[in-house]
Amino acid sequence: MTFGEMPDGGALDPAYDDKIAHARLLIGGRVLMMSDTAPWAGTHDGFHGMTLQVALDSPEEAADLFAKLSDGGQVIMPLDKTFWARAFGMCTDRFGVAWMLNCE
């Protein structure tokens, strides 16, 4: 799904309409999700242009990992319920790596 295909139209710079918002790969029974880094997520030294996503089984598990990853980093989008997930949040860790945590 591109940012432009999101239900709210992406609410971003139109230059990002064709950038990937959600990509999902199944590798050896594990889900790897990723997206192009959105302009509001800032820059990430060493990880330019990408965000790592972790799929979690419960909102509690997501909350625990989100707290650990964002400790010393920056919360971009607080962990909360969304139209696609029971819990979703975005942060950068203390090393500048961008993360999205998702609990469908």
Side-chain angles (χ1 to χ4, degrees):
M1 174 186 283
T2 66
F3 285 104
E5 293 170 326
M6 294 177 72
D8 63 357
L12 298 171
D13 180 338
Y16 276 75
D17 282 353
D18 292 329
K19 301 284 187 186
I20 301 300
H22 303 286
R24 178 182 170 138
L25 301 173
L26 184 61
I27 301 172
R30 299 280 183 189
V31 174
L32 175 64
M33 295 187 76
M34 61 207 93
S35 78
D36 289 316
T37 299
W40 35 260
T43 59
H44 312 289
D45 292 338
F47 283 85
H48 298 283
M50 67 168 273
T51 300
L52 298 173
Q53 180 165 319
V54 178
L56 299 149
D57 294 328
S58 72
E60 296 79 18
E61 185 180 20
D64 180 59
L65 183 56
F66 191 82
K68 290 174 182 174
L69 287 171
S70 62
D71 182 29
Q74 178 183 6
V75 173
I76 304 300
M77 179 178 175
L79 191 70
D80 204 352
K81 186 175 179 172
T82 67
F83 70 89
W84 72 88
R86 295 184 293 155
F88 177 82
M90 298 174 61
C91 66
T92 56
D93 65 23
R94 65 181 148 227
F95 305 107
V97 177
W99 293 91
M100 295 186 292
L101 278 65
N102 195 55
C103 174
E104 292 182 2

XYZ file of all heavy atoms in Angstrom:
787
model
N 0.855 -1.174 0.000
C 0.000 0.000 0.000
C 0.897 1.233 0.000
O 1.842 1.317 0.770
C -0.903 0.003 1.236
C -1.717 1.275 1.390
S -2.665 1.361 2.934
C -4.005 0.285 2.538
N 0.584 2.189 -0.858
C 1.339 3.439 -0.877
C 0.696 4.434 0.089
O -0.451 4.250 0.517
C 1.360 4.054 -2.284
O 0.029 4.437 -2.634
C 1.943 3.090 -3.311
N 1.431 5.494 0.414
C 0.860 6.539 1.270
C -0.376 7.139 0.600
O -1.369 7.434 1.248
C 1.893 7.626 1.573
C 2.929 7.191 2.577
C 4.208 6.851 2.165
C 2.608 7.117 3.919
C 5.158 6.442 3.097
C 3.561 6.718 4.848
C 4.836 6.370 4.437
N -0.343 7.294 -0.719
C -1.471 7.849 -1.446
C -2.700 6.958 -1.439
O -3.817 7.433 -1.633
N -2.518 5.645 -1.218
C -3.638 4.702 -1.180
C -4.274 4.576 0.198
O -5.288 3.898 0.343
C -3.166 3.315 -1.626
C -2.762 3.252 -3.077
C -2.067 1.946 -3.441
O -1.338 1.388 -2.581
O -2.240 1.497 -4.583
N -3.711 5.222 1.211
C -4.266 5.130 2.558
C -5.649 5.778 2.590
O -5.920 6.709 1.823
C -3.317 5.775 3.571
C -2.009 5.008 3.697
S -0.827 5.776 4.818
C -1.590 5.448 6.381
N -6.543 5.285 3.453
C -7.924 5.791 3.492
C -8.046 7.302 3.652
O -8.956 7.903 3.110
C -8.537 5.074 4.693
C -7.742 3.832 4.830
C -6.351 4.202 4.396
N -7.124 7.916 4.367
C -7.200 9.367 4.555
C -6.401 10.117 3.488
O -6.127 11.310 3.639
C -6.715 9.762 5.951
C -5.239 9.424 6.170
O -4.610 8.845 5.274
O -4.716 9.744 7.251
N -6.007 9.412 2.440
C -5.234 10.037 1.378
C -3.776 10.226 1.726
O -3.029 10.847 0.993
N -3.354 9.688 2.836
C -1.966 9.777 3.238
C -1.651 10.997 4.079
O -0.755 10.959 4.890
N -2.386 12.077 3.907
C -2.193 13.310 4.688
C -0.733 13.729 4.735
O -0.261 14.258 5.715
C -2.759 13.145 6.096
N -0.004 13.465 3.655
C 1.412 13.810 3.588
C 1.664 14.671 2.364
O 0.778 14.922 1.554
C 2.263 12.546 3.479
C 2.187 11.570 4.642
C 2.898 10.285 4.285
C 2.796 12.176 5.886
N 2.883 15.054 2.188
C 3.326 15.748 0.991
C 2.962 14.884 -0.224
O 3.264 13.689 -0.248
C 4.843 15.923 1.107
C 5.468 16.631 -0.074
O 4.892 16.642 -1.165
O 6.562 17.171 0.120
N 2.317 15.438 -1.250
C 1.955 14.659 -2.441
C 3.146 13.946 -3.085
O 2.963 12.948 -3.771
C 1.363 15.709 -3.385
C 0.869 16.790 -2.502
C 1.823 16.817 -1.325
N 4.357 14.421 -2.845
C 5.535 13.746 -3.381
C 5.688 12.338 -2.812
O 6.409 11.514 -3.371
C 6.790 14.574 -3.088
N 5.010 12.040 -1.710
C 5.082 10.725 -1.079
C 3.938 9.803 -1.478
O 3.859 8.674 -1.018
C 5.140 10.872 0.451
C 6.539 11.119 0.933
C 7.131 12.354 0.767
C 7.280 10.110 1.515
C 8.420 12.592 1.168
C 8.578 10.335 1.924
C 9.149 11.573 1.741
O 10.427 11.799 2.140
N 3.034 10.255 -2.338
C 1.884 9.435 -2.731
C 2.292 8.076 -3.285
O 1.596 7.086 -3.077
C 1.010 10.170 -3.745
C 0.114 11.215 -3.109
O 0.065 11.293 -1.857
O -0.532 11.948 -3.863
N 3.415 7.980 -3.993
C 3.855 6.714 -4.589
C 4.855 5.952 -3.725
O 5.320 4.879 -4.115
C 4.464 6.962 -5.974
C 3.418 7.424 -6.978
O 2.245 7.029 -6.851
O 3.771 8.189 -7.889
N 5.200 6.487 -2.563
C 6.114 5.792 -1.651
C 5.351 4.704 -0.896
O 4.149 4.813 -0.647
C 6.738 6.768 -0.642
C 7.518 7.895 -1.277
C 8.845 7.431 -1.764
C 9.656 8.636 -2.245
N 10.881 8.238 -2.853
N 6.051 3.669 -0.486
C 5.432 2.525 0.183
C 5.142 2.854 1.646
O 6.036 3.212 2.403
C 6.341 1.283 0.105
C 6.631 0.911 -1.346
C 5.730 0.114 0.868
C 5.408 0.584 -2.169
N 3.872 2.705 2.042
C 3.469 2.883 3.433
C 3.488 1.540 4.162
O 3.895 1.464 5.318
C 2.074 3.497 3.514
N 3.030 0.487 3.485
C 2.966 -0.847 4.104
C 3.366 -1.904 3.084
O 2.722 -2.040 2.055
C 1.547 -1.166 4.596
C 1.005 -0.173 5.558
N 1.427 -0.096 6.860
C 0.078 0.798 5.407
C 0.778 0.880 7.467
N -0.041 1.441 6.609
N 4.444 -2.631 3.383
C 4.863 -3.785 2.585
C 5.016 -4.956 3.547
O 5.511 -4.783 4.662
C 6.176 -3.505 1.864
N 4.573 -6.124 3.140
C 4.588 -7.290 4.022
C 5.174 -8.485 3.276
O 4.720 -8.826 2.194
C 3.171 -7.597 4.480
C 3.061 -8.814 5.354
C 1.614 -9.069 5.715
N 1.497 -10.364 6.342
C 0.756 -10.630 7.393
N 0.016 -9.690 7.915
N 0.724 -11.823 7.909
N 6.184 -9.109 3.890
C 6.804 -10.317 3.356
C 6.707 -11.419 4.397
O 6.920 -11.185 5.582
C 8.283 -10.079 3.040
C 8.626 -8.983 2.040
C 10.135 -8.785 2.006
C 8.108 -9.348 0.660
N 6.410 -12.637 3.954
C 6.407 -13.798 4.832
C 7.669 -14.589 4.530
O 7.873 -15.064 3.412
C 5.161 -14.646 4.585
C 4.969 -15.842 5.502
C 4.848 -15.390 6.962
C 3.724 -16.605 5.099
N 8.552 -14.682 5.537
C 9.839 -15.343 5.360
C 9.977 -16.400 6.444
O 10.074 -16.072 7.630
C 11.010 -14.338 5.442
C 10.861 -13.253 4.379
C 12.345 -15.065 5.305
C 11.849 -12.121 4.511
N 9.968 -17.662 6.053
C 10.134 -18.748 7.009
C 9.138 -18.726 8.154
O 9.490 -18.997 9.286
N 7.899 -18.374 7.872
C 6.871 -18.322 8.904
C 6.880 -17.051 9.729
O 6.069 -16.889 10.630
N 7.773 -16.137 9.440
C 7.848 -14.853 10.143
C 7.419 -13.733 9.209
O 7.688 -13.770 8.008
C 9.271 -14.559 10.614
C 9.832 -15.562 11.566
C 9.320 -15.291 12.941
N 9.936 -16.225 13.864
C 9.559 -16.352 15.092
N 8.590 -15.611 15.559
N 10.134 -17.209 15.883
N 6.771 -12.741 9.763
C 6.328 -11.592 8.979
C 7.347 -10.472 9.103
O 7.735 -10.090 10.208
C 4.938 -11.096 9.461
C 4.550 -9.813 8.738
C 3.891 -12.181 9.248
N 7.802 -9.966 7.962
C 8.681 -8.807 7.906
C 7.894 -7.706 7.213
O 7.434 -7.885 6.083
C 9.959 -9.119 7.125
C 10.921 -7.962 6.897
C 11.476 -7.453 8.224
C 12.042 -8.381 5.974
N 7.700 -6.598 7.906
C 6.973 -5.470 7.323
C 7.889 -4.270 7.269
O 8.779 -4.117 8.096
C 5.715 -5.169 8.138
C 4.729 -6.309 8.072
S 3.159 -5.948 8.844
C 2.415 -4.910 7.600
N 7.656 -3.413 6.273
C 8.508 -2.254 6.109
C 7.768 -1.157 5.377
O 6.672 -1.375 4.863
C 9.772 -2.637 5.349
C 9.501 -3.170 3.954
S 10.767 -4.293 3.357
C 10.055 -5.845 3.852
N 8.365 0.011 5.361
C 7.819 1.134 4.594
C 8.944 2.098 4.256
O 10.000 2.077 4.878
C 6.734 1.858 5.392
O 7.294 2.701 6.365
N 8.682 2.935 3.253
C 9.569 4.062 3.013
C 9.398 5.012 4.193
O 8.296 5.140 4.729
C 9.197 4.785 1.716
C 9.531 3.961 0.484
O 10.620 3.375 0.440
O 8.692 3.924 -0.430
N 10.458 5.665 4.608
C 10.375 6.582 5.739
C 9.619 7.833 5.322
O 9.967 8.480 4.342
C 11.774 6.943 6.263
O 12.405 5.737 6.697
C 11.706 7.913 7.411
N 8.569 8.146 6.070
C 7.745 9.319 5.791
C 8.471 10.590 6.224
O 9.308 10.552 7.132
C 6.421 9.200 6.528
N 8.157 11.727 5.615
C 8.869 12.960 5.951
C 8.707 13.379 7.400
O 9.614 13.966 7.971
C 8.264 14.000 4.999
C 6.994 13.412 4.510
C 7.145 11.924 4.595
N 7.581 13.053 8.048
C 7.369 13.434 9.446
C 8.116 12.540 10.412
O 8.162 12.794 11.590
C 5.893 13.474 9.804
C 5.060 12.439 9.117
C 4.284 12.627 8.018
C 4.911 11.072 9.469
N 3.669 11.456 7.666
C 4.033 10.484 8.533
C 5.452 10.272 10.472
C 3.676 9.150 8.566
C 5.092 8.934 10.507
C 4.210 8.393 9.567
N 8.733 11.460 9.921
C 9.492 10.556 10.793
C 10.928 11.015 10.990
O 11.654 10.433 11.782
C 9.458 9.139 10.226
N 11.351 12.040 10.280
C 12.712 12.541 10.434
C 13.708 11.711 9.643
O 13.339 10.856 8.851
N 14.971 11.951 9.879
C 16.016 11.204 9.195
C 16.617 10.203 10.162
O 16.541 10.354 11.375
C 17.123 12.142 8.675
O 17.677 12.849 9.796
C 16.582 13.121 7.660
N 17.215 9.170 9.623
C 17.756 8.091 10.441
C 19.141 7.733 9.934
O 19.273 6.996 8.963
C 16.829 6.876 10.385
C 15.390 7.240 10.605
N 14.906 7.639 11.827
C 14.350 7.303 9.759
C 13.629 7.913 11.711
N 13.256 7.714 10.475
N 20.167 8.277 10.572
C 21.530 7.985 10.157
C 21.756 6.480 10.158
O 21.434 5.791 11.115
C 22.531 8.663 11.088
C 22.501 10.178 10.967
O 22.042 10.677 9.922
O 22.927 10.854 11.917
N 22.323 5.980 9.081
C 22.616 4.561 8.970
C 21.443 3.744 8.462
O 21.615 2.622 8.042
N 20.255 4.279 8.511
C 19.069 3.580 8.042
C 18.254 4.530 7.171
O 17.068 4.678 7.339
C 18.219 3.093 9.213
C 18.786 1.874 9.874
C 19.759 1.988 10.854
C 18.355 0.610 9.509
C 20.293 0.865 11.449
C 18.894 -0.518 10.100
C 19.853 -0.398 11.084
N 18.881 5.185 6.249
C 18.218 6.172 5.409
C 17.122 5.531 4.575
O 17.329 4.508 3.940
C 19.230 6.857 4.482
C 20.283 7.616 5.217
N 20.038 8.844 5.782
C 21.553 7.303 5.522
C 21.130 9.260 6.390
N 22.066 8.343 6.241
N 15.956 6.140 4.624
C 14.870 5.739 3.748
C 14.136 4.470 4.112
O 13.416 3.930 3.289
N 14.301 3.954 5.339
C 13.578 2.743 5.707
C 13.149 2.766 7.157
O 13.718 3.483 7.978
C 14.399 1.494 5.432
C 15.633 1.370 6.308
S 16.392 -0.248 6.223
C 15.494 -1.140 7.465
N 12.124 1.979 7.448
C 11.620 1.807 8.803
C 11.407 0.319 9.034
O 10.878 -0.375 8.166
C 10.285 2.560 8.982
O 10.506 3.950 8.738
C 9.734 2.390 10.381
N 11.830 -0.191 10.186
C 11.613 -1.595 10.537
C 10.281 -1.733 11.263
O 9.945 -0.896 12.096
C 12.739 -2.103 11.444
C 14.132 -2.076 10.850
C 15.163 -2.441 11.911
C 14.229 -3.042 9.677
N 9.543 -2.789 10.954
C 8.276 -3.037 11.644
C 8.300 -4.416 12.258
O 8.780 -5.373 11.659
C 7.085 -2.929 10.701
C 5.787 -3.206 11.466
C 4.557 -2.775 10.730
O 4.536 -1.719 10.125
N 3.530 -3.583 10.788
N 7.745 -4.519 13.473
C 7.635 -5.778 14.188
C 6.154 -6.073 14.382
O 5.407 -5.227 14.863
C 8.339 -5.705 15.565
C 8.183 -7.005 16.325
C 9.805 -5.339 15.405
N 5.729 -7.296 14.008
C 4.356 -7.749 14.244
C 4.323 -8.458 15.595
O 5.130 -9.353 15.858
C 3.916 -8.699 13.132
N 3.397 -8.039 16.450
C 3.306 -8.583 17.797
C 1.936 -9.221 18.021
O 0.958 -8.882 17.355
C 3.576 -7.476 18.818
C 4.979 -6.882 18.653
C 5.021 -5.438 19.038
C 5.978 -7.705 19.430
N 1.875 -10.146 18.989
C 0.658 -10.920 19.225
C -0.370 -10.228 20.105
O -1.550 -10.546 20.037
C 1.002 -12.280 19.838
C 1.778 -13.170 18.877
O 1.535 -13.064 17.649
O 2.616 -13.949 19.341
N 0.063 -9.311 20.957
C -0.886 -8.674 21.875
C -0.524 -7.203 22.072
O 0.643 -6.827 21.953
C -0.876 -9.381 23.241
O 0.323 -9.086 23.938
N -1.524 -6.380 22.403
C -1.229 -4.978 22.701
C -0.278 -4.824 23.883
O 0.539 -3.901 23.905
C -2.604 -4.383 23.014
C -3.565 -5.247 22.258
C -2.966 -6.629 22.341
N -0.339 -5.732 24.833
C 0.558 -5.670 26.001
C 2.007 -5.914 25.582
O 2.925 -5.233 26.045
C 0.127 -6.686 27.067
C -1.234 -6.410 27.661
C -2.414 -6.850 26.779
O -2.223 -7.663 25.851
O -3.532 -6.353 27.018
N 2.201 -6.904 24.716
C 3.541 -7.188 24.198
C 4.052 -5.983 23.395
O 5.216 -5.598 23.504
C 3.491 -8.435 23.313
C 4.834 -8.905 22.817
C 4.736 -10.142 21.941
O 3.649 -10.450 21.397
O 5.782 -10.798 21.785
N 3.172 -5.384 22.601
C 3.544 -4.199 21.821
C 3.941 -3.052 22.743
O 4.932 -2.363 22.497
C 2.387 -3.787 20.913
N 3.172 -2.841 23.817
C 3.460 -1.748 24.758
C 4.820 -1.940 25.420
O 5.584 -0.983 25.587
C 2.356 -1.641 25.799
N 5.120 -3.169 25.796
C 6.399 -3.451 26.450
C 7.569 -3.169 25.505
O 8.526 -2.489 25.879
C 6.428 -4.912 26.928
C 7.727 -5.263 27.614
O 8.063 -4.609 28.638
O 8.417 -6.193 27.151
N 7.485 -3.680 24.278
C 8.574 -3.463 23.328
C 8.669 -1.998 22.922
O 9.772 -1.451 22.795
C 8.384 -4.352 22.091
C 9.499 -4.272 21.053
C 10.876 -4.582 21.660
C 9.198 -5.204 19.887
N 7.533 -1.328 22.752
C 7.533 0.088 22.385
C 8.241 0.914 23.453
O 9.049 1.799 23.132
C 6.100 0.586 22.177
C 6.020 1.943 21.559
C 6.131 2.103 20.183
C 5.830 3.069 22.332
C 6.055 3.357 19.594
C 5.752 4.323 21.758
C 5.871 4.468 20.380
N 7.965 0.623 24.714
C 8.624 1.348 25.809
C 10.136 1.138 25.770
O 10.910 2.086 25.963
C 8.051 0.899 27.153
N 10.560 -0.081 25.491
C 11.991 -0.376 25.447
C 12.671 0.300 24.246
O 13.761 0.860 24.385
C 12.211 -1.883 25.394
C 11.853 -2.570 26.696
C 11.932 -4.074 26.581
C 11.522 -4.724 27.893
N 11.437 -6.183 27.788
N 12.028 0.229 23.080
C 12.634 0.822 21.887
C 12.682 2.344 21.952
O 13.641 2.963 21.493
C 11.874 0.390 20.625
C 12.085 -1.053 20.190
C 11.117 -1.405 19.062
C 13.521 -1.286 19.759
N 11.647 2.956 22.498
C 11.599 4.423 22.519
C 12.379 5.031 23.678
O 12.645 6.231 23.677
C 10.146 4.915 22.539
O 9.480 4.470 23.700
N 12.807 4.214 24.654
C 13.597 4.709 25.779
C 14.910 5.290 25.256
O 15.710 4.586 24.646
C 13.878 3.576 26.769
C 14.642 4.042 27.986
O 14.508 5.223 28.373
O 15.382 3.217 28.573
N 15.112 6.563 25.443
C 16.312 7.230 24.951
C 16.210 7.643 23.494
O 17.135 8.225 22.952
N 15.078 7.337 22.871
C 14.848 7.709 21.477
C 13.754 8.758 21.389
O 13.656 9.630 22.244
N 12.900 8.630 20.381
C 11.835 9.607 20.170
C 10.561 8.893 19.736
O 10.580 8.066 18.820
C 12.248 10.603 19.084
C 11.191 11.631 18.770
C 11.598 12.556 17.639
O 12.620 12.376 16.997
N 10.776 13.551 17.385
N 9.448 9.219 20.385
C 8.148 8.700 19.979
C 7.652 9.553 18.815
O 7.552 10.773 18.930
C 7.142 8.726 21.148
C 5.746 8.358 20.670
C 7.598 7.791 22.263
N 7.366 8.912 17.704
C 6.846 9.599 16.520
C 5.326 9.548 16.531
O 4.663 10.553 16.313
C 7.384 8.950 15.221
C 8.905 8.930 15.205
C 6.811 9.639 13.990
C 9.576 10.271 15.281
N 4.772 8.373 16.795
C 3.328 8.168 16.915
C 3.104 7.265 18.116
O 3.533 6.109 18.109
C 2.768 7.517 15.645
C 1.292 7.254 15.683
S 0.787 6.531 14.091
C -0.918 6.176 14.462
N 2.473 7.759 19.177
C 2.269 6.931 20.369
C 1.515 5.641 20.026
O 0.678 5.615 19.121
C 1.427 7.817 21.283
C 1.690 9.205 20.818
C 1.916 9.108 19.336
N 1.817 4.597 20.748
C 1.154 3.309 20.562
C -0.328 3.462 20.891
O -0.690 3.915 21.978
C 1.808 2.271 21.477
C 1.418 0.825 21.233
C 1.994 0.336 19.904
C 1.924 -0.044 22.360
N -1.192 3.101 19.936
C -2.634 3.254 20.131
C -3.366 2.388 19.119
O -2.773 1.868 18.168
C -3.028 4.722 19.939
C -4.327 5.093 20.654
O -5.013 4.196 21.179
O -4.646 6.291 20.671
N -4.659 2.257 19.277
C -5.503 1.528 18.346
C -5.636 2.344 17.059
O -5.709 3.573 17.095
C -6.882 1.296 18.965
C -7.776 0.431 18.126
C -9.077 0.121 18.836
C -9.922 -0.734 17.908
N -11.119 -1.232 18.566
N -5.665 1.642 15.901
C -5.828 2.298 14.608
C -6.917 1.582 13.826
O -7.479 0.587 14.293
C -4.528 2.245 13.784
O -4.274 0.882 13.429
C -3.351 2.833 14.539
N -7.185 2.043 12.611
C -8.203 1.394 11.797
C -7.784 0.003 11.342
O -8.612 -0.797 10.950
C -8.601 2.267 10.585
C -7.546 2.391 9.516
C -7.470 1.486 8.476
C -6.646 3.448 9.532
C -6.505 1.609 7.485
C -5.684 3.592 8.541
C -5.617 2.664 7.516
N -6.488 -0.337 11.396
C -6.029 -1.651 10.950
C -5.466 -2.517 12.075
O -5.174 -3.681 11.847
C -4.977 -1.516 9.850
C -3.649 -1.012 10.332
C -2.610 -1.764 10.823
C -3.212 0.347 10.396
N -1.562 -0.955 11.196
C -1.909 0.364 10.928
C -3.788 1.561 10.059
C -1.182 1.522 11.131
C -3.064 2.716 10.258
C -1.772 2.691 10.777
N -5.281 -1.957 13.265
C -4.590 -2.712 14.307
C -5.156 -2.440 15.694
O -5.665 -1.356 15.963
C -3.094 -2.368 14.292
N -4.995 -3.441 16.567
C -5.360 -3.250 17.977
C -4.364 -2.333 18.665
O -4.700 -1.667 19.640
C -5.415 -4.595 18.702
C -6.524 -5.500 18.184
C -6.622 -6.784 18.969
N -5.421 -7.597 18.751
C -4.979 -8.507 19.600
N -5.617 -8.749 20.731
N -3.897 -9.205 19.326
N -3.129 -2.303 18.146
C -2.098 -1.405 18.671
C -1.083 -1.139 17.565
O -0.647 -2.065 16.888
C -1.411 -2.013 19.883
N -0.729 0.122 17.391
C 0.285 0.518 16.417
C 0.980 1.761 16.946
O 0.339 2.658 17.489
C -0.351 0.844 15.054
C 0.655 1.328 14.044
C 1.428 0.431 13.331
C 0.833 2.683 13.822
C 2.368 0.877 12.414
C 1.776 3.141 12.902
C 2.538 2.229 12.195
N 2.294 1.807 16.802
C 3.053 2.980 17.202
C 4.344 3.075 16.423
O 4.821 2.082 15.863
N 4.893 4.282 16.382
C 6.148 4.531 15.667
C 7.116 5.281 16.573
O 6.708 6.185 17.307
C 5.880 5.363 14.413
C 4.978 4.697 13.408
S 4.548 5.775 12.018
C 6.161 6.095 11.334
N 8.378 4.899 16.486
C 9.405 5.582 17.271
C 10.748 5.409 16.586
O 10.894 4.623 15.662
C 9.458 5.029 18.694
S 9.997 3.311 18.829
N 11.715 6.176 17.050
C 13.101 5.910 16.709
C 13.797 5.526 18.008
O 13.498 6.068 19.070
C 13.798 7.132 16.078
O 13.684 8.244 16.952
C 13.193 7.482 14.735
N 14.675 4.546 17.918
C 15.393 4.131 19.124
C 16.573 5.067 19.379
O 16.818 6.008 18.622
C 15.804 2.659 19.040
C 16.817 2.351 17.944
O 17.553 3.262 17.493
O 16.888 1.177 17.526
N 17.307 4.822 20.423
C 18.411 5.713 20.798
C 19.542 5.719 19.773
O 20.415 6.582 19.807
C 18.935 5.335 22.184
C 19.563 3.977 22.226
C 20.052 3.624 23.626
N 19.923 2.188 23.792
C 19.389 1.611 24.834
N 18.953 2.330 25.837
N 19.304 0.306 24.898
N 19.525 4.762 18.837
C 20.542 4.699 17.795
C 20.077 5.346 16.484
O 20.796 5.353 15.501
C 20.938 3.243 17.529
C 21.376 2.525 18.773
C 20.555 1.581 19.361
C 22.591 2.823 19.375
C 20.943 0.927 20.511
C 22.988 2.171 20.535
C 22.161 1.224 21.104
N 18.833 5.847 16.474
C 18.298 6.490 15.285
C 17.587 5.556 14.331
O 17.219 5.959 13.231
N 17.384 4.294 14.729
C 16.664 3.340 13.886
C 15.170 3.580 14.038
O 14.657 3.677 15.155
C 17.013 1.880 14.268
C 16.201 0.896 13.431
C 18.510 1.634 14.113
N 14.466 3.680 12.910
C 13.022 3.912 12.921
C 12.290 2.576 13.054
O 12.627 1.603 12.371
C 12.602 4.621 11.644
N 11.288 2.551 13.939
C 10.507 1.339 14.206
C 9.021 1.624 14.118
O 8.569 2.695 14.510
C 10.788 0.828 15.624
C 12.170 0.317 15.829
C 13.255 1.027 16.255
C 12.619 -1.019 15.602
N 14.351 0.216 16.319
C 13.989 -1.058 15.932
C 11.998 -2.184 15.174
C 14.748 -2.205 15.824
C 12.751 -3.343 15.069
C 14.118 -3.343 15.400
N 8.283 0.628 13.631
C 6.823 0.597 13.715
C 6.466 -0.712 14.402
O 6.965 -1.772 14.012
C 6.181 0.634 12.324
C 6.429 1.910 11.577
S 5.537 2.016 10.003
C 6.368 0.759 9.030
N 5.631 -0.643 15.414
C 5.158 -1.839 16.095
C 3.687 -1.999 15.772
O 2.919 -1.029 15.868
C 5.367 -1.731 17.605
C 6.779 -2.089 18.077
C 7.804 -1.119 17.555
C 6.829 -2.186 19.558
N 3.290 -3.209 15.394
C 1.936 -3.457 14.923
C 1.381 -4.719 15.562
O 2.027 -5.753 15.555
C 1.955 -3.618 13.400
C 0.595 -3.529 12.784
O -0.115 -2.557 12.993
N 0.219 -4.520 12.006
N 0.195 -4.616 16.113
C -0.527 -5.754 16.671
C -1.878 -5.777 15.971
O -2.747 -4.986 16.308
C -0.678 -5.618 18.175
S -1.691 -6.898 18.920
N -2.048 -6.651 14.978
C -3.277 -6.678 14.171
C -4.492 -7.099 14.963
O -4.487 -7.780 15.898
C -3.102 -7.593 12.962
C -2.104 -7.028 11.982
C -1.943 -7.895 10.742
O -2.625 -8.916 10.601
O -1.104 -7.530 9.912
